[in-house]
Amino acid sequence: MTESQPLATVMKAEALLQQVRGKLGPDCRLYRAPGRVNLIGEHTDYNQGLVMPTAINRFTYAAAVPLSRKELRLESREFEQSYTASLDAIRPAQGWGNYVLGMAAGLMQRGYELRGSRLQIQSEIPFGAGLSSSAALEISTGLAMLGTSQTWPREGMDLVWAAHFSDHHFVGVLSGIMDQFVSTYGRRGCALLLDCRSLEWEPVPLPPDCDLVICNTGVRHALAGSEYNQRRQECQAGVECFQRRRPQVRSLRDVHEDDLQRWQADLPEVVFRRCRHIITENQRVIEARQAFRDGNLYRLGELFAASHRSLRDDYEVSCAELDAMVEAAEAAPGFVAGRMTGGGFGGCTVNLVHQPYTAEFIASVAATYARLMGKKPDIWAVESANGGGELTAQPGSQELLIRAAT
Ligand code: GLA
């Protein structure tokens, strides 16, 4: 599977279903959930702030058959390790299966009765590249486990919270809800503006004359046990400091730039910069929504650039490779806007590119980046996608049908 060819476009739905049924038996059903790229609003989700991700047409697929025993059997095309676990005694394990075991535990905690299932996973989303392969794994397998249990999410947020539970209690990453949310609720043609405090959201139509181009540095980011949780603690330290002055502050969402300047001297220098990133990034998301509405591509370029600088200098989650990739993109034909995306410490940049120039843009960024860093990057255009669901096909039809989760 190459990154430029998503599975569902090279294999039509019927053939895909036949393939998995050939392997797992006639009862086998197929589910999938997309990865995502975040356009703007980085590290704001766990600060009750604003984010603007879009689901992308790179999916994780979970083929599932029911088992008579109340157990989970997990296999993956990409990883050798397989798992067997009793649903009555689910515990964290090591490796990729942990995301799925945590998802099962999260769903049961929300009152879903799970029956036994055997799941076979296949993914088109590069791992550790900041494109939410883990959320796609959680949401696709969550749907599969519900499907084999003859049930379906009562509401999409149950999937989102179960995946969040898995991250926090099984995987050990204190993530926000952006990734799981967009993998569940994604809308083709749109980014989603999500308010992570109120959980209100709206679709933001993407500019029709721009392509979304992802540039992968190939530097693997490891969120678990990394600086991610530390950033969260630093933000919490900021909240506590502001609370001493204004007890009604519950998160950095309640703090304005003026407050930040006024109390700068009371904050440790690092905490001040972390808070400044979050507060200004929320503002940039609001301005980006307006720029998308107005079709103001120039303003989007400014906002993406400011977001990247803030993540690099204030939040310190960029790296030399991401900075070089942004620099290479800014000098390439057709460039509209670009910045690092996702948790950081490696992974990808996201770019808006004027459509007629996409091929030239990709060639130019690849050449400049190779010159700057001595490595060949992976660069490809993606399309926005709908959130996860079950794949079905009418006999004899080539059309891919999705029973959506939401
Ligand atoms: C990771 C987390 C998200 C979010 C981003 C940074 O992708 O899973 O919850 O915090 O980093 O914006």
Side-chain angles (χ1 to χ4, degrees):
M1 184 65 39
T2 67
E3 278 162 348
S4 54
Q5 286 182 316
L7 192 60
T9 58
V10 285
M11 278 181 83
K12 293 300 176 198
E14 211 188 339
L16 202 58
L17 276 170
Q18 263 168 18
Q19 191 200 55
V20 292
R21 287 188 179 139
K23 275 200 213 128
L24 296 184
D27 290 346
C28 178
R29 286 159 63 174
L30 189 58
Y31 305 81
R32 75 174 189 189
R36 65 99 187 91
V37 66
N38 188 21
L39 298 186
I40 197 157
E42 216 66 85
H43 288 273
T44 42
D45 59 351
Y46 54 84
N47 285 297
Q48 300 194 355
L50 304 169
V51 292
M52 199 190 284
T54 177
I56 57 173
N57 62 341
R58 294 296 179 280
F59 299 90
T60 295
Y61 291 83
V65 279
L67 293 176
S68 50
R69 296 162 72 112
K70 224 180 148 208
E71 78 184 15
L72 283 180
R73 275 190 234 155
L74 313 176
E75 295 145 39
S76 143
R77 287 258 300 231
E78 282 80 24
F79 295 105
E80 267 185 19
Q81 197 176 358
S82 57
Y83 299 78
T84 302
S86 160
L87 279 165
D88 290 326
I90 288 237
R91 272 180 227 96
Q94 295 295 318
W96 70 270
N98 205 16
Y99 291 90
V100 188
L101 298 174
M103 190 67 193
L107 286 169
M108 290 193 289
Q109 212 215 21
R110 304 191 75 74
Y112 290 94
E113 242 183 69
L114 295 186
R115 300 186 193 166
S117 14
R118 174 177 173 203
L119 306 184
Q120 208 174 65
I121 320 295
Q122 180 171 356
S123 186
E124 308 166 338
I125 309 166
F127 298 103
L131 300 175
S132 284
S133 58
S134 35
L137 176 61
E138 290 164 343
I139 302 302
S140 60
T141 55
L143 286 167
M145 290 186 284
L146 292 174
T148 50
S149 308
Q150 305 292 329
T151 181
W152 202 239
R154 289 182 288 269
E155 51 164 344
M157 281 315 289
D158 280 343
L159 284 174
V160 175
W161 288 123
H164 186 256
F165 176 91
S166 180
D167 279 1
H168 281 235
H169 299 287
F170 275 61
V171 181
V173 181
L174 305 178
S175 64
I177 59 162
M178 167 171 75
D179 306 345
Q180 300 90 334
F181 187 92
V182 71
S183 188
T184 304
Y185 286 91
R187 290 287 178 271
R188 197 174 157 73
C190 296
L192 307 185
L193 173 65
L194 170 67
D195 180 330
C196 298
R197 169 175 276 178
S198 68
L199 302 182
E200 283 173 68
W201 65 279
E202 63 182 57
V204 177
L206 294 169
D209 46 355
C210 284
D211 274 336
L212 269 179
V213 177
I214 289 177
C215 305
N216 189 355
T217 61
V219 178
R220 290 284 297 267
H221 78 149
L223 280 183
S226 76
E227 308 227 359
Y228 185 91
N229 291 350
Q230 193 189 327
R231 292 295 178 282
R232 210 178 156 133
Q233 280 164 12
E234 287 161 349
C235 291
Q236 187 51 33
V239 170
E240 282 160 22
C241 186
F242 289 114
Q243 262 167 355
R244 286 197 283 278
R245 276 125 200 110
R246 273 210 291 129
Q248 63 272 36
V249 167
R250 283 184 292 144
S251 74
L252 292 180
R253 181 71 181 278
D254 300 315
V255 182
H256 302 285
E257 248 185 296
D258 299 350
D259 303 331
L260 187 65
Q261 303 307 338
R262 187 171 331 136
W263 293 316
Q264 175 171 2
D266 300 352
L267 293 167
E269 195 267 340
V270 168
V271 173
F272 168 77
R273 284 190 287 116
R274 304 298 189 246
C275 295
R276 182 166 60 186
H277 166 71
I278 301 299
I279 293 163
T280 56
E281 185 77 349
N282 279 329
Q283 193 51 39
R284 283 187 285 273
V285 178
I286 294 170
E287 288 185 43
R289 167 176 52 185
Q290 194 56 45
F292 274 112
R293 278 186 186 156
D294 298 344
N296 189 342
L297 300 181
Y298 179 78
R299 183 70 189 132
L300 283 173
E302 290 180 333
L303 292 166
F304 275 43
S307 171
H308 185 81
R309 279 195 303 272
S310 177
L311 287 158
R312 183 191 63 197
D313 302 337
D314 276 354
Y315 219 63
E316 293 180 283
V317 291
S318 188
C319 61
E321 289 85 351
L322 285 169
D323 296 342
M325 197 72 91
V326 168
E327 198 186 314
E330 282 169 352
F335 174 80
V336 172
R339 57 173 208 90
M340 61 153 278
T341 185
F345 307 109
C348 297
T349 65
V350 58
N351 300 273
L352 290 171
V353 179
H354 279 298
Q355 237 154 46
Y357 297 99
T358 301
E360 279 169 81
F361 174 86
I362 291 174
S364 163
V365 177
T368 313
Y369 183 82
R371 186 167 44 74
L372 291 174
M373 302 309 293
K375 284 189 277 198
K376 240 185 91 201
D378 249 342
I379 306 182
W380 68 103
V382 289
E383 285 170 24
S384 58
N386 286 324
E390 178 177 2
L391 270 81
T392 58
Q394 297 283 9
S397 155
Q398 288 297 293
E399 206 187 335
L400 183 77
L401 302 173
I402 305 280
R403 176 161 75 122
T406 60

